């Protein structure tokens, strides 16, 4: 069982003052093995904070990340899964799942984690799964109205990944989960 | 003779003894050495028939003599022992003095333990007797020590009930006594007493503790004209802590204490003594810690006046403390008035105050400060749009005084706060906010950031159906792109942001849209590197096809874009064949193929299955060609694209039929 935290689009300090206190109290150091961040932190303090939650931190460059040169895309392997990260402002039309599927094929990954729209999505297509963890701070978005703070926790176990999405709605944390299973050769299928 | 009287007498005499001893130069050590506290135990004391009390002598030679207790002459002889030099005598003397001092204090402790003494007796007999001795002995050291003892040894309730008497003794003490420390200790004890249980609080009100202490402090400060400023502030810190514990609801008391400080500080230059500065910071931090609602502290009229007396460095430190308090307590500052006071308090962070130079500041610290201000802006919020608009205008007024160094940090927060409001207003006052925003953004000396903000504003204008405003924002964005964004990587990102935003616009009429898309495609084709050009141009294809109901669906122009990007990819291929080592742009062809498939599926009649087939063959040929440098990324990408085509072919219905002609 490997726990991977996926989050992004915090936009601190431009659009949000900080992570919601309820999220902060959940993100306890030592429980998570990897962090995947889609970008738009935007300052060093946020980077440092994430490192205290887990030192294995993978970040891609968002269009508001200043003074950093994170890569535009990144791929990594966790267990049986190949994961890809990209902020998403590079993929036009923004939030378009078919265009994101193309990026997934290009990166040749089972799970593509992407952001930019500030809206949680977990979408399964022929080549794999696209996950958008939304905005961890509920930051304002020109694309999505009424953004609720959200992040994703993936539990990778063999050929199976359970995606837990945590959303802060009206002051309460709500959790939902989706199962994905991978057949040995190629793409995962949804349950 | 009852026990109380005995101990009181004991105390008085020992005190006199101790004081006298302090002034003695040398002793015959064989006569009177130490008077250990254990000797107070009744069985060690002997009384003769006349009722005179004798202590056993405890000199080092363990003699059997007894010294008459209370004998003012002490019946000693002043001959120097030939065996001991003056230094050893002095050391021994010190030891004797300190032990005697402890003994004196122990008397008071015994008094506090005697069961028969109640509040009445303490008030009427015990305390006045003790204080009489304290005042009469006129010895600075003894007075300080004894006041401390009284405060520590007797219960707090007693102190409360005898406050007037106790405080009344203070002005009667020697002027050199450190009375402020004594008073601070008393207030600290009483503060802790108040904190221990809510039930004792009414007592404080009943005895009017605050006004008594306040007056006493005022008198002491007045009397001791030479008291250094750090001493004055320390006293007020103790009083303030006391007030916050005992009367947390009396903001007027708190303000009064601050006001007294202001009075003492005014007329003087800004504080330079670091200890005093620390105390002022403690003074200002105390209300913040107590009041979870920072806005309560904001209503204290003397608060900003105290801050004005800090040097600029400390002023900023204090401003940060205030901001951190707001952040920690998740406070929402919600009225324009409160915002005004708040920004007045943190003005040291907002702009360069007179006499300060912005460049002196450490880079990291400066960033931290400005980011704190940026975060603070999001804590200012009101439900009513009208009030919120006022708040935003106020914030804007203040941060615009910050100068070019600060604007890149603070303006984005302001802009996003405004955009949130615009969404709530949905069109009303939109052009006013728009104009002002352009003015604000044009002063931000960070073109890439300003460009992004212009695009955000364009989207907001789009949502409000304000075509001219949206067009103006795009114009400004393009101006920045043309004139200020020079780094090639930055250009790639910037053009994608422009294309992505433009793709979402539905407010533009044909003419405006055409002008903007023409510009976007033009700049895309002019990017520095061919692969970047190729990608930006095929991204532009989406400008001509929007999936919405009323969205534009111009199949021809889509195809034109895709063909143009193909040409660029070809040119890149030629170049790669000529220059050695560059990773083959075959991957570009695969990307373009994917775009063909995208529009094919969307039903663009200009994209034919034949065209797709040709592209597939082209890629195959390129990949198998000798001149191509093998690219580890293109192969799996092409493979999964082919898999996708296969997958679509196997679908039933219209999709399967569509894909049927394509052979992979």
């Amino acid at each position: 069982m490997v726990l991977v935290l996926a989050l992004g689009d915090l936009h601190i300090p431009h659009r949000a003052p900080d992570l919601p206190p309820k999220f902060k109290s959940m993100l306890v150091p030592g429980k998570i093995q990897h962090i995947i961040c889609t970008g738009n932190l935007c300052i060093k303090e946020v980077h440092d904070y994430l490192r205290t939650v887990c030192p294995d931190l993978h970040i891609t460059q968002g269009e508001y990340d200043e003074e950093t040169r994170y890569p535009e895309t990144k791929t990594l392997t966790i267990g049986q899964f190949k994961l890809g990260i990209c902020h998403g402002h590079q993929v036009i039309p923004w939030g378009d799942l078919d265009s994101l599927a193309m990026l997934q094929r290009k990166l040749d990954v089972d799970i593509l984690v992407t952001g930019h729209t500030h809206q949680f999505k977990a979408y399964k297509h022929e080549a794999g799964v696209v996950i958008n963890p939304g905005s961890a701070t509920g930051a304002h978005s020109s694309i999505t109205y009424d953004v609720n703070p959200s992040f994703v926790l993936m539990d990778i176990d063999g050929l199976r990944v359970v995606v837990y999405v945590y959303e802060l709605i009206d002051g309460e944390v709500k959790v939902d989960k989706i199962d994905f299973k991978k057949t040995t050769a190629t793409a995962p299928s949804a349950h | 003779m009852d026990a109380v009287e005995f101990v009181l007498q004991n105390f008085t005499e020992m005190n006199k003894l101790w004081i006298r001893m302090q002034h003695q130069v040398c002793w015959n050590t064989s006569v009177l050495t130490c008077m250990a506290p254990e000797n107070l135990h009744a069985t060690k004391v002997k009384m003769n028939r006349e009722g005179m009390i004798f202590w056993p002598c405890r000199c080092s030679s363990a003699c059997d003599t007894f010294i008459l207790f209370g004998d003012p002459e002490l019946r000693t002889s002043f001959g120097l022992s030939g065996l001991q030099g003056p230094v050893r005598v002095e050391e021994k003397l010190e030891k004797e003095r300190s032990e005697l001092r402890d003994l004196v204090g122990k008397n008071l402790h015994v008094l506090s333990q005697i069961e028969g003494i109640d509040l009445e007796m303490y008030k009427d007999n015990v305390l006045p007797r003790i204080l009489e001795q304290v005042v009469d002995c006129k010895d600075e050291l003894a007075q300080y020590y004894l006041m401390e003892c009284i405060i520590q040894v007797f219960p707090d309730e007693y102190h409360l009930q005898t406050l007037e008497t106790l405080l009344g003794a203070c002005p009667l003490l020697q002027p050199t006594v450190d009375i402020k420390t004594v008073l601070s200790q008393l207030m600290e004890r009483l503060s802790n007493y108040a904190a221990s249980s809510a039930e004792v609080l009414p007592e404080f009100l009943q005895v009017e503790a605050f006004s008594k202490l306040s007056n006493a402090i005022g008198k002491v400060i007045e009397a001791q004209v030479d008291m250094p400023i750090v001493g004055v502030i320390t006293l007020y810190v103790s009083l303030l802590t006391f007030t916050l514990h005992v009367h947390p609801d009396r903001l007027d008391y708190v303000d009064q204490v601050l006001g007294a400080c202001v009075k003492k500080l005014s007329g003087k230059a800004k504080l330079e003594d670091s200890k005093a500065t620390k105390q002022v910071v403690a003074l200002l931090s105390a209300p913040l810690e107590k009041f979870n609602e920072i806005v309560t502290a904001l209503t204290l009229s003397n608060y900003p006046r105290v801050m004005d007396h800090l040097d600029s460095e400390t002023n900023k430190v204090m401003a940060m403390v205030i901001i951190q308090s707001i952040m920690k307590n998740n406070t929402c500052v919600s009225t324009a008035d409160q915002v005004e006071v708040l920004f007045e308090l943190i003005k040291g962070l907002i702009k360069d105050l007179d006499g300060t130079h912005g460049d002196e500041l450490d880079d990291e610290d400066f960033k931290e400060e400005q980011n704190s201000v940026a975060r603070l802006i999001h804590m200012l919020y009101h439900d009513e749009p009208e009030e919120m608009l006022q708040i935003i205008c106020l914030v804007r007024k203040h941060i615009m005084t910050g100068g070019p160094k600060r604007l890149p940090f603070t303006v984005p927060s302001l802009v996003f706060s405004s955009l949130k409001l615009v969404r709530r207003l949905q069109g009303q006052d939109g052009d006013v906010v728009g104009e002002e925003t352009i003015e604000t953004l044009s002063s931000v000396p960070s073109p890439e950031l300003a460009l992004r903000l212009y695009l955000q504003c364009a989207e907001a204008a789009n949502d409000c159906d304000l075509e001219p405003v949206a067009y103006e924002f795009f114009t400004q964005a393009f101006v920045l792109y043309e004139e200020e964004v020079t780094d090639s990587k930055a250009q790639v990102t910037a053009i994608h942001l422009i294309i992505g935003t433009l793709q979402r616009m539905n407010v533009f009429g044909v003419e405006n849209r055409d002008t903007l898309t023409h510009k976007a495609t033009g700049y895309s084709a002019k990017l520095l590197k061919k692969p970047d050009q190729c990608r930006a141009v095929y991204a532009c294809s989406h400008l001509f096809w929007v999936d919405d109901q009323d969205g534009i669906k111009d199949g021809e122009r889509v195809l034109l874009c895709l063909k143009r990007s193909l040409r660029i990819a070809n040119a890149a291929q030629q170049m790669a064949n000529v220059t050695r080592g560059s990773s083959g742009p075959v991957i570009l062809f695969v990307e373009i193929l994917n775009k063909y498939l995208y529009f094919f599926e969307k039903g663009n009649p200009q994209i034919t299955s034949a065209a797709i087939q040709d592209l597939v063959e082209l890629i195959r040929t390129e990949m198998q060609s000798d001149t191509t440098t093998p690219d580890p990324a293109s192969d799996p990408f092409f493979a999964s694209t082919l898999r996708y085509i296969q997958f679509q072919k196997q679908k039933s219905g219209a999709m399967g039929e569509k894909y049927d002609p394509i052979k992979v």
Side-chain angles (χ1 to χ4, degrees):
Chain A
M1 178 182 107
V2 178
L3 282 179
V4 183
L5 170 67
L7 80 174
D9 288 311
L10 297 99
H11 287 284
I12 296 169
H14 300 147
R15 307 190 200 186
D18 205 355
L19 273 168
K22 286 202 166 155
F23 279 3
K24 269 191 145 161
S25 61
M26 290 171 72
L27 297 178
V28 177
K31 297 261 173 76
I32 295 162
Q33 279 79 56
H34 308 275
I35 298 185
I36 286 179
C37 183
T38 55
N40 278 342
L41 298 180
C42 308
I43 47 179
K44 188 171 171 292
E45 276 112 302
V46 183
H47 180 114
D48 293 340
Y49 165 73
L50 289 177
R51 288 214 82 216
T52 65
V53 177
C54 167
D56 192 43
L57 180 57
H58 304 271
I59 315 181
T60 48
Q61 184 84 355
E63 80 274 31
Y64 283 91
D65 283 312
E66 310 162 346
E67 300 177 8
T68 47
R69 285 275 169 264
Y70 302 124
E72 296 283 314
T73 62
K74 197 166 189 191
T75 55
L76 63 153
T77 306
I78 297 175
Q80 298 288 327
F81 286 86
K82 284 193 281 188
L83 293 98
I85 322 168
C86 177
H87 176 253
H89 65 271
Q90 307 91 328
V91 180
I92 290 161
W94 292 334
D96 181 75
L97 293 167
D98 292 320
S99 303
L100 289 171
M102 165 179 146
L103 176 62
Q104 181 148 17
R105 287 192 279 271
K106 181 174 171 188
L107 294 178
D108 192 32
V109 292
D110 303 307
I111 302 172
L112 175 67
V113 182
T114 176
H116 189 59
T117 62
H118 298 205
Q119 192 177 42
F120 164 72
K121 275 235 157 33
Y123 169 70
K124 182 214 145 295
H125 60 97
E126 159 275 342
V129 178
V130 176
I131 294 176
N132 185 332
S135 162
T137 54
H140 173 93
S141 162
S142 55
I143 301 168
T144 310
Y145 278 48
D146 295 325
V147 180
N148 287 318
S150 66
F151 67 86
V152 156
L153 208 54
M154 291 185 276
D155 183 354
I156 296 179
D157 194 1
L159 293 171
R160 184 169 169 249
V161 57
V162 184
V163 175
Y164 297 92
V165 56
Y166 295 80
E167 240 184 308
L168 188 65
I169 304 175
D170 291 330
E172 292 301 316
V173 178
K174 303 229 157 55
V175 193
D176 210 346
K177 75 171 188 164
I178 310 166
D179 259 73
F180 291 106
K181 227 177 167 147
K182 182 181 164 168
T183 52
T184 39
T186 43
S189 62
H191 281 241
Chain B
M1 185 192 287
D2 81 323
V4 176
E5 192 54 41
F6 167 72
V7 181
L8 276 172
Q9 270 195 25
N10 211 23
F11 158 73
T12 308
E13 297 310 323
M14 299 204 91
N15 192 37
K16 288 182 187 163
L17 184 66
W18 173 39
I19 288 171
R20 195 160 347 150
M21 198 181 177
Q22 297 195 71
H23 303 292
Q24 295 291 11
V25 177
C26 60
W27 290 85
N28 182 325
T29 56
S30 67
V31 177
L32 178 69
T33 53
C34 61
M35 298 271 231
E38 304 87 74
N39 288 341
L40 192 56
H41 195 288
T43 56
K44 292 252 171 60
V45 174
K46 290 192 191 296
M47 213 187 296
N48 67 7
R49 271 173 308 201
E50 283 89 355
M52 299 173 88
I53 302 163
F54 289 83
W55 291 97
C57 175
R58 300 265 291 168
C59 68
S60 51
S61 46
C63 68
D64 286 329
T65 58
F66 277 78
I67 313 294
L68 176 64
F69 171 71
D71 182 352
E73 295 305 316
L74 281 173
R75 310 257 190 254
T76 62
S77 61
F78 278 89
L80 273 173
S81 160
L83 298 168
Q84 289 166 327
V87 175
R88 296 268 305 272
V89 169
E90 197 54 43
E91 271 176 15
K92 219 160 185 192
L93 204 55
E94 267 316 305
K95 189 161 178 273
E96 290 164 15
R97 282 181 191 148
S98 84
E99 283 171 347
L100 188 51
R101 183 202 64 189
D102 292 344
L103 208 51
V104 172
K106 197 75 192 277
N107 270 291
L108 295 179
H109 187 251
V110 163
L111 272 173
S112 74
Q113 303 294 317
I114 295 179
E115 268 182 37
I117 296 183
D118 62 354
L119 178 58
E120 282 304 309
M121 202 184 263
Y122 176 77
K123 213 166 154 178
D124 297 336
N125 186 25
V126 176
L127 184 63
R129 288 279 295 277
I130 298 174
L131 286 177
E132 196 185 330
Q133 171 57 212
V134 172
V135 172
D136 285 352
C137 76
K138 292 201 194 323
D139 183 87
E140 156 198 353
L141 258 170
Q143 286 182 336
Y144 178 77
Y145 174 67
L146 289 172
M147 290 300 284
E148 263 197 337
C149 282
I150 294 171
I151 291 169
Q152 279 168 29
V153 142
F154 291 104
D156 299 313
E157 318 140 63
Y158 282 19
H159 293 318
L160 253 190
Q161 296 297 332
T162 57
L163 205 50
E164 199 139 16
T165 318
L166 197 55
L167 294 174
C170 293
L172 304 174
L173 300 175
Q174 300 301 102
T176 43
V177 171
D178 183 13
I179 194 63
K180 65 181 187 317
T181 310
V182 170
L183 284 173
S184 294
Q185 282 181 7
L186 175 63
M187 284 187 281
E188 202 181 311
R189 275 198 77 94
L190 292 176
S191 292
N192 293 336
Y193 181 50
S196 66
S197 138
E199 287 159 10
V200 306
L201 290 177
E203 230 185 296
F204 283 82
L205 294 164
Q206 185 230 342
V207 304
E208 290 174 27
F210 174 77
S211 55
K212 289 201 175 115
L213 285 166
S214 185
N215 287 336
I217 289 172
K219 284 209 187 87
V220 165
I221 292 176
E222 235 176 290
Q224 296 188 8
V225 254
D226 293 328
M227 193 193 286
I229 196 73
V230 58
V232 176
I233 310 288
T234 312
L235 261 174
Y236 282 122
V237 172
S238 301
L239 182 58
L240 186 65
T241 315
F242 170 83
T243 316
L244 289 170
H245 276 116
V246 176
H247 305 288
D249 52 329
R250 294 297 299 263
L251 293 175
D252 55 332
Y253 282 174
V254 178
D255 210 18
Q256 207 178 310
V257 177
L258 292 176
C261 267
V262 173
K263 233 167 139 194
K264 201 62 192 161
L265 289 169
S266 41
K268 296 195 169 64
K270 291 217 192 242
L271 282 176
E272 282 182 2
D273 173 12
S274 70
K275 287 209 182 91
T277 309
K278 269 206 180 103
Q279 286 300 321
V280 176
V281 172
L283 186 75
L284 292 172
S285 303
L288 297 180
E289 283 155 35
K290 181 69 186 180
F291 302 127
N292 278 330
E293 292 297 309
I294 182 79
V295 292
T296 318
L298 292 179
T299 62
L300 301 167
S301 63
N302 285 310
Y303 200 96
R305 291 188 200 136
V306 178
M307 272 190 81
D308 280 339
H309 287 276
L310 291 169
D311 64 281
S312 62
E313 266 315 299
T314 319
N315 198 302
K316 283 198 276 188
V317 167
M318 202 55 227
M320 288 293 278
V321 170
I322 293 172
I323 295 180
Q324 274 150 19
S325 175
I326 294 176
M327 302 296 303
K328 193 178 67 154
N329 294 318
N330 217 15
T331 317
C332 176
V333 181
S334 54
T335 70
D337 292 331
Q338 288 168 353
V339 171
E340 184 63 49
V341 175
L342 179 60
F343 272 75
E344 179 60 31
L345 289 178
I346 63 174
K347 64 184 177 217
L349 300 176
I350 303 292
K351 58 186 175 194
D352 292 329
L353 298 174
D354 305 320
T356 63
H357 307 282
D359 335 282
E360 283 170 5
L361 188 56
D362 175 58
D363 228 14
E364 285 300 318
D365 289 339
F366 181 74
K367 275 188 209 161
E368 203 191 325
E369 279 175 17
Q370 296 309 309
N371 281 327
S372 295
V373 176
R375 288 162 112 146
L376 177 68
I377 291 175
H378 298 292
M379 309 303 287
L380 316 173
Y381 179 79
H382 197 286
D383 270 333
E384 285 289 310
E386 279 305 313
E387 187 76 22
M388 191 63 204
L389 185 59
Q390 270 197 49
I391 291 177
I392 288 180
C393 291
L394 211 54
V395 173
R396 183 173 169 271
K397 184 185 81 171
H398 281 280
I399 68 175
M400 289 307 277
T401 61
K405 281 219 190 97
R406 294 186 175 83
L407 290 176
F409 292 93
T410 51
V411 169
S413 285
L414 177 69
V415 170
F416 283 108
S417 197
S418 312
L419 290 179
K420 273 175 149 147
L421 179 63
V422 165
R423 200 170 265 176
R424 274 157 62 187
L425 293 174
Q426 277 298 358
Q428 317 159 21
D429 300 326
D431 19 4
V432 174
V433 179
E435 247 175 67
E436 290 191 358
T437 315
I438 293 183
E439 216 189 295
T440 316
L441 288 178
S442 59
S443 55
V444 175
S446 177
E448 288 171 41
L449 181 58
L451 186 148
R452 282 149 177 72
L453 296 175
Y454 277 131
L455 293 176
Q456 288 284 333
C457 294
E459 283 207 70
N462 181 74
D463 292 344
C464 296
D465 223 11
L466 298 164
E467 188 178 353
V469 179
Y471 189 79
E472 183 56 33
F473 280 128
F474 265 99
T475 311
Q476 295 296 328
F478 272 118
V479 165
L480 283 176
Y481 182 85
E482 287 153 25
E483 295 176 10
E484 309 276 355
V485 183
T486 45
D487 174 69
S488 59
K489 270 210 165 95
Q491 282 184 337
V492 173
T493 311
I495 201 65
H496 276 277
L497 293 175
I498 291 173
I499 298 168
T501 312
L502 190 52
Q503 197 267 342
R504 294 170 50 78
M505 298 284 106
N506 51 32
V507 73
F508 290 126
V510 174
E511 237 186 77
N512 278 340
R513 197 181 172 86
D514 276 349
T515 315
L516 295 174
T517 52
H518 181 78
K519 267 192 155 166
T521 8
Y523 284 123
S524 300
K526 288 210 212 82
L527 287 168
L528 186 65
K529 299 185 188 142
K530 289 240 178 287
D532 293 329
Q533 289 174 7
C534 176
R535 292 183 171 117
V537 169
Y538 76 57
C540 286
S541 65
H542 290 281
L543 292 174
F544 306 105
W545 194 280
V546 176
D547 236 358
D548 284 342
Q549 222 179 5
D550 317 312
I552 178 178
K553 287 186 179 67
D554 189 338
E556 272 192 39
R557 288 170 87 177
V558 168
L559 185 60
L560 276 173
C561 269
L562 294 181
K563 278 189 168 167
R564 195 171 179 185
S565 71
L566 258 180
R567 280 200 299 278
I568 299 172
N570 269 317
Q573 184 74 321
Q574 312 281 7
M575 278 173 65
N577 290 340
V578 171
T579 61
R580 60 171 185 88
S582 54
S583 68
V586 181
I587 200 163
L588 290 173
F589 292 117
V590 185
E591 291 173 32
I592 298 169
L593 168 61
N594 273 269
K595 284 297 163 192
Y596 267 75
L597 292 172
Y598 178 94
F599 289 107
F600 180 63
E601 288 190 18
K602 295 289 181 198
N604 181 349
Q606 308 295 328
I607 312 276
T608 59
S609 52
I612 292 173
Q613 191 77 59
D614 286 342
L615 205 41
V616 171
E617 298 310 320
L618 169 70
I619 296 170
R620 276 227 173 85
T621 320
E622 287 297 330
M623 279 184 156
Q624 283 154 9
S625 149
D626 293 328
T627 52
T628 316
T629 4
D631 173 20
S634 333
D635 288 341
F637 188 14
F638 188 45
S640 68
T641 310
L642 293 177
R643 265 201 308 276
Y644 174 72
I645 297 174
Q646 197 63 20
F647 185 78
Q648 296 296 77
K649 277 166 76 74
Q650 277 155 17
K651 279 192 170 152
S652 57
M655 193 59 78
E657 279 177 34
K658 223 180 169 58
Y659 271 87
D660 191 52
I662 305 176
K663 312 284 175 234
V664 290

